[in-house]
């Protein structure tokens, strides 16, 4: 009843391991799914469980079948890595993801491939996919690879000079002197 309305894919998950910490009123659960479920849905489910079971903390560790790895899953993993590393954040905005037989192609829109690579994104992405889906992937970058030069238009603005009022006497309510 706690997860009512969360959908059949989520409810089909199998709890492989569950640890209850009675002192902290916490729970850690490893759950395996046959279909991919995005981070937002898992986060909502975790919050519902936390409230419904009156827990102080909850951690859901999810894993998925290898054949459920998809473009959506690749983008979700990239977004989680993006949230963990501010250096790559803007470069992955608007990126498009395509998965095909162990290769994840990421089409960049704003360049930054050198920065992304220097932050070990490819390695971290592949490790995350291995942990969550149990498969090995290779990451390739396409699209706009070089940094995009941002040009800020020069706006000429006259300095603000306050005008002196010819009548500096205070006015009463209603604008009457």
């Amino acid at each position: 009843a706690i997860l009512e309305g969360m959908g059949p894919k989520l409810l089909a998950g199998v709890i492989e391991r569950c640890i209850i910490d009675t002192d902290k009123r916490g729970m850690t659960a490893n759950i395996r799914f046959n279909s991919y479920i995005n981070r937002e849905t898992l986060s909502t489910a975790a919050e519902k469980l936390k409230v419904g079971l009156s827990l102080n903390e909850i951690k859901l560790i999810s894993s998925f079948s290898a054949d459920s790895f998809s473009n959506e899953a690749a983008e979700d993993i990239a977004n989680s890595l993006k949230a963990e590393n501010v250096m790559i954040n803007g470069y992955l905005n608007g990126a498009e993801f395509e998965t095909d037989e162990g290769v994840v192609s990421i089409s960049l829109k704003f360049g930054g491939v050198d920065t992304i690579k220097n932050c070990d994104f490819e390695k971290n992405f592949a490790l995350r996919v291995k942990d969550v889906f149990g498969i090995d992937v290779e990451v390739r970058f396409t699209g706009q690879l070089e940094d995009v030069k941002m040009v800020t238009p020069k706006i000429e603005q006259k300095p603000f000079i306050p005008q002196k009022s010819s009548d500096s006497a205070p006015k009463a309510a209603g604008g009457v002197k």
Side-chain angles (χ1 to χ4, degrees), residues 117-137:
K117 287 182 175 190
N118 288 337
C119 291
D120 287 331
F121 176 85
E122 296 158 298
K123 178 182 125 191
N124 294 328
F125 185 93
L127 286 172
R128 187 77 50 97
V129 171
K130 182 73 169 178
D131 287 345
V132 175
F133 292 92
I135 58 174
D136 294 313
V137 295

Side-chain angles (χ1 to χ4, degrees), residues 9 32-37 63-73 99 101-102 129 132-137:
K9 287 188 209 178
R32 179 115 180 113
F33 299 95
N34 286 328
S35 301
Y36 181 68
I37 299 167
S63 60
F64 304 94
S65 64
D67 62 342
S68 69
F69 186 62
S70 63
N71 297 351
E72 178 189 11
T99 58
E101 297 190 26
V129 171
V132 175
F133 292 92
I135 58 174
D136 294 313
V137 295

Side-chain angles (χ1 to χ4, degrees), residues 35-126:
S35 301
Y36 181 68
I37 299 167
N38 66 40
R39 286 184 322 138
E40 185 178 331
T41 301
L42 289 171
S43 179
T44 300
E47 190 58 31
K48 284 186 172 201
L49 285 169
K50 182 179 172 185
V51 170
L53 298 174
S54 299
L55 299 171
N56 291 330
E57 54 189 52
I58 187 167
K59 183 175 183 181
L60 299 182
I61 302 167
S62 53
S63 60
F64 304 94
S65 64
D67 62 342
S68 69
F69 186 62
S70 63
N71 297 351
E72 178 189 11
E75 183 173 4
D76 217 16
I77 289 170
N79 285 335
S80 71
L81 292 172
K82 194 168 91 163
E84 295 168 17
N85 187 342
V86 70
M87 293 293 291
I88 61 174
N89 192 6
Y91 293 120
L92 291 172
N93 289 346
E96 295 176 3
F97 297 80
E98 186 175 323
T99 58
D100 185 30
E101 297 190 26
V103 175
V104 177
S105 296
I106 303 173
S107 179
L108 301 175
K109 302 294 181 212
F110 300 105
V113 74
D114 292 334
T115 301
I116 294 169
K117 287 182 175 190
N118 288 337
C119 291
D120 287 331
F121 176 85
E122 296 158 298
K123 178 182 125 191
N124 294 328
F125 185 93

Side-chain angles (χ1 to χ4, degrees), residues 126-169:
L127 286 172
R128 187 77 50 97
V129 171
K130 182 73 169 178
D131 287 345
V132 175
F133 292 92
I135 58 174
D136 294 313
V137 295
E138 175 188 347
V139 176
R140 294 184 189 159
F141 294 101
T142 62
Q144 175 66 44
L145 301 179
E146 301 303 317
D147 287 356
V148 175
K149 300 291 183 202
M150 298 294 187
V151 178
T152 306
K154 187 172 183 174
I155 299 172
E156 288 194 33
Q157 185 174 357
K158 294 180 182 179
F160 176 72
I161 302 171
Q163 300 292 319
K164 279 194 166 185
S165 173
S166 60
D167 183 13
S168 60

